[in-house]
Amino acid sequence: MASVTFRAQLVVRGFALKRRTTTADWMVIGPALVLGGVLTTFCWGQIKGPPSPETFPALQVVPEPYGQACFVFVPLRQELCRFHFSSGLQRPFLYPVNSPDGWPLTRMGHPHDPVSHSHHNSVWISHADVNGFDFWADRPYTQIVCTRVTEYNESAEDSLRAWLIAELEWRAEGQPLLKERRLIEVKVSGDTSLAWRSPKDVLAEGYFILIESRFTPVRQTVTFGETAFGLIGVRMTKTIGVRDGGGRILNSEGLVNEKEVFRKPAKWVDYSGYITPGVAGGITLFDHPQNEGFPHPFHVRDDGWMGICFSFQRPVTLSPEGSCTVKYGLWCHDDIPDRQTIERHWESFATWVGHEGGKP
């Protein structure tokens, strides 16, 4: 009898223990589940859905080490161009500048004279006579120094636009002579709404590199002297050159190659040719109608380079309180376009307002 009673007590105690344990578990687990649900709902509420393809930046400017910034067409993971601005350089420049299909359109240096043309830095801005100082060639007493980049940005309204703004000093014998604020904007020409859905088709129209420079004297009057060298230069890759690869130079007046185009005023000059036996591409260099003295002469050679002559016809003088703004554009494209196609893209470029007309 005692044994039965003992076993009954064990059963009752065990049942009571089980009930107490179960009750304690639910007292912990129940609120935990409720709290977990609340937190999950809260967290999901804080995480937005994937961005709209129409607004997510397909073109981005990416700061990189050693004074570089890369403009990337993200849907294809393709680098379009890169800005080099380390303070140790003779001058900032853009390299590489690639075709929409990813082939190099420019090079560093002259293919047959790399020593005396070491200043041919793909795409660059400089001038051969600023108060008598030569910033065009690689001289030990002059340097164009980027002091800082103040902005890297993409457009919230147009996913195919990105830009940076750099502050530079033109230094002669170690002293700042001229300040420059340079805007470099890259814009893909195609339909924004198709950037993520059909990126190859969007990039097939090519892209623009848009450059606006605002020059301000530091302390004294600054004069850009009469010269054919400056402000902007473009050194094409070797095989695009007329002499080395059988390329073609065409200007807005319908003139062809160095013999006809050399130092003639024009709205634009296109330099196109074959990069490989089956791949053609090129760059059209645009002068902007708001530039003082437009249209300017173009200094263009069959050996593969072109530039716009800012002060070839007359000197340009800036007072200590004054400033001067110039705008240039490069349309980077595949194939060898006809005159009508290039003109259509120049007309699009001519509407660009830049920083002076309204911050992008």
Side-chain angles (χ1 to χ4, degrees):
M1 185 68 178
S3 176
V4 173
T5 302
F6 178 71
R7 286 196 301 271
Q9 289 176 348
L10 286 177
V11 170
V12 172
R13 289 174 182 174
F15 179 73
L17 179 61
K18 183 177 181 181
R19 288 184 61 190
R20 284 195 299 271
T21 302
T22 303
T23 301
D25 288 345
W26 276 105
M27 288 176 64
V28 175
I29 296 172
L33 291 174
V34 173
L35 179 60
V38 171
L39 290 174
T40 301
T41 303
F42 175 78
C43 291
W44 278 109
Q46 300 305 305
I47 299 174
K48 297 179 181 180
S52 168
E54 287 75 18
T55 59
F56 195 76
L59 183 66
Q60 298 180 22
V61 55
V62 183
E64 297 197 347
Y66 312 113
Q68 300 178 33
C70 179
F71 289 88
V72 181
F73 186 56
V74 181
L76 297 178
R77 292 175 290 179
Q78 182 172 327
E79 177 177 351
L80 299 183
C81 61
R82 181 182 295 259
F83 184 50
H84 297 255
F85 56 92
S86 170
S87 60
L89 297 171
Q90 191 77 29
R91 67 191 63 79
F93 56 87
L94 287 162
Y95 178 84
V97 176
N98 293 321
S99 73
D101 205 30
W103 295 89
L105 295 173
T106 63
R107 62 173 285 141
M108 298 291 288
H110 194 296
H112 305 293
D113 188 6
V115 177
S116 67
H117 287 74
S118 59
H119 56 282
H120 280 209
N121 300 148
S122 179
V123 175
W124 73 100
I125 289 179
S126 57
H127 197 278
D129 182 358
V130 183
N131 281 12
F133 292 101
D134 184 2
F135 287 88
W136 186 257
D138 291 336
R139 307 298 187 191
Y141 51 82
T142 56
Q143 185 184 14
I144 303 173
V145 180
C146 179
T147 56
R148 62 177 179 167
V149 175
T150 60
E151 185 174 342
Y152 299 94
N153 222 329
E154 293 89 23
S155 172
E157 294 79 27
D158 184 350
S159 69
L160 294 177
R161 288 178 57 228
W163 65 88
L164 62 80
I165 297 176
E167 293 183 359
L168 304 97
E169 289 184 353
W170 292 46
R171 297 175 182 173
E173 298 178 337
Q175 299 301 312
L177 185 65
L178 193 66
K179 287 187 179 293
E180 178 191 353
R181 189 206 56 224
R182 188 179 303 179
L183 165 67
I184 299 177
E185 179 179 338
V186 176
K187 177 176 174 58
V188 174
S189 306
D191 186 344
T192 301
S193 65
L194 299 177
W196 292 94
R197 297 186 179 93
S198 188
K200 288 188 176 181
D201 292 337
V202 169
L203 200 54
E205 278 284 306
Y207 67 94
F208 294 102
I209 301 174
L210 308 171
I211 302 172
E212 179 192 72
S213 290
R214 184 175 186 268
F215 299 101
T216 306
V218 175
R219 286 181 293 271
Q220 58 183 308
T221 297
V222 170
T223 298
F224 293 94
E226 294 183 38
T227 177
F229 301 107
L231 284 164
I232 188 168
V234 181
R235 165 55 65 178
M236 305 302 296
T237 195
K238 182 177 180 179
T239 56
I240 290 179
V242 174
R243 188 174 302 167
D244 287 304
R248 181 211 66 185
I249 302 168
L250 173 69
N251 77 359
S252 57
E253 311 310 300
L255 303 178
V256 178
N257 292 348
E258 179 182 333
K259 185 177 180 180
E260 297 181 6
V261 174
F262 184 68
R263 295 186 179 178
K264 299 290 180 58
K267 295 185 292 185
W268 52 260
V269 166
D270 178 78
Y271 215 132
S272 296
Y274 281 89
I275 306 164
T276 71
V279 178
I283 294 174
T284 310
L285 180 59
F286 294 142
D287 195 7
H288 199 281
Q290 292 180 354
N291 291 341
E292 182 182 350
F294 171 87
H296 293 88
F298 279 71
H299 191 96
V300 189
R301 294 287 195 183
D302 284 347
D303 65 11
W305 94 274
M306 59 179 169
I308 297 178
C309 309
F310 174 65
S311 58
F312 177 65
Q313 298 165 311
R314 76 283 181 264
V316 177
T317 299
L318 307 180
S319 67
E321 299 79 24
S323 65
C324 173
T325 300
V326 296
K327 301 174 187 177
Y328 299 121
L330 297 91
W331 177 47
C332 305
H333 56 79
D334 291 324
D335 302 322
I336 301 175
D338 58 32
R339 186 178 170 189
Q340 292 72 26
T341 299
I342 300 171
E343 184 69 19
R344 175 168 54 87
H345 283 88
W346 180 85
E347 290 173 357
S348 175
F349 161 74
T351 65
W352 180 58
V353 297
H355 190 283
E356 293 293 290
K359 190 176 180 180

